Amino acid sequence: MTNEADLMMKMEMFLRRNRPGRPMPGRQEGAAHGCHRPEDGPAHMPGGDAMCGGPRHMPMPPHGRPGLSRERVLVLISREEGGVHQKDLLEKAHIGAPAMSELINKLEDDGYIVRTVDPDDRRATLLSLTEKGAARAAEVDDERALRFKAAFANLTDEEKETLSALLDKLLIRQA
């Protein structure tokens, strides 16, 4: 049976892959690194045309609050037993390196995470949650589960399975 968190993850992945400013499959871009073309309209995602020197901005979400990147990072770290390398966290969170460094510094300053030397590679640093960070990650996970359950409450189990299969099909086509 498909659970709500899996459905939401697939939907988020689909939306990330189809966000404005991202090259569409089979579409030619202006340069090898995928510069934003003026005829495509304004770029709204960070890094959308940063390599081209164009404007970078992200509109404020409709609810008027900043995104929950801090909480998302806490949850991602909580899922990694023994800590996680910043590079691996970048890949999982889909956040740019400068933004991730800033988030990590703030989370550490606020007492949510600690950095330790990786015993297997003394040049690398592991990020781990403190008790305070683990408690907040658990709260966020519970809140998300309730939101996901509410989002898909009107679907039967069969409809959830169908939606999951359709999202899989869309995601495979884009890979």
Side-chain angles (χ1 to χ4, degrees):
M1 181 169 80
T2 300
N3 70 39
E4 291 84 3
D6 289 341
L7 281 174
M8 192 60 75
M9 181 188 67
K10 290 177 184 182
M11 288 178 67
E12 288 171 348
M13 187 180 304
F14 175 77
L15 292 172
R16 265 197 311 273
R17 289 185 182 178
N18 290 285
R19 70 180 180 250
R22 183 178 165 94
M24 293 176 65
R27 183 167 153 197
Q28 287 295 93
E29 284 300 315
H33 61 273
C35 285
H36 174 77
R37 299 180 319 171
E39 62 267 26
D40 293 333
H44 292 286
M45 297 304 290
D49 52 297
M51 293 182 188
C52 304
R56 292 174 51 176
H57 67 281
M58 179 183 291
M60 183 63 84
H63 49 67
R65 296 185 318 254
L68 297 176
S69 297
R70 287 171 51 111
E71 284 81 3
R72 195 168 99 220
V73 167
L74 287 175
V75 169
L76 289 171
I77 294 172
S78 74
R79 293 181 179 152
E80 301 295 326
E81 196 170 317
V84 63
H85 293 110
Q86 185 169 334
K87 179 183 76 159
D88 296 333
L89 192 56
L90 275 170
E91 292 173 11
K92 293 173 194 284
H94 304 283
I95 298 174
M100 180 61 78
S101 290
E102 188 176 328
L103 277 171
I104 289 170
N105 288 335
K106 287 179 181 179
L107 288 169
E108 185 178 34
D109 291 345
D110 292 344
Y112 288 104
I113 65 169
V114 292
R115 300 176 207 226
T116 56
V117 175
D118 183 343
D120 298 327
D121 180 357
R122 302 203 47 82
R123 297 168 297 167
T125 302
L126 288 172
L127 305 171
S128 304
L129 296 179
T130 61
E131 277 187 43
K132 179 180 175 180
R136 181 62 188 140
E139 287 174 10
V140 170
D141 241 358
D142 292 345
E143 292 166 6
R144 287 181 61 179
L146 289 173
R147 280 196 317 272
F148 296 163
K149 190 170 185 75
F152 298 107
N154 291 336
L155 299 180
T156 66
D157 288 343
E158 184 179 324
E159 289 169 329
K160 289 176 191 176
E161 293 292 335
T162 301
L163 177 57
S164 180
L166 290 170
L167 287 167
D168 287 340
K169 191 173 186 178
L170 289 170
L171 290 168
I172 289 170
R173 181 178 175 154
Q174 293 175 340

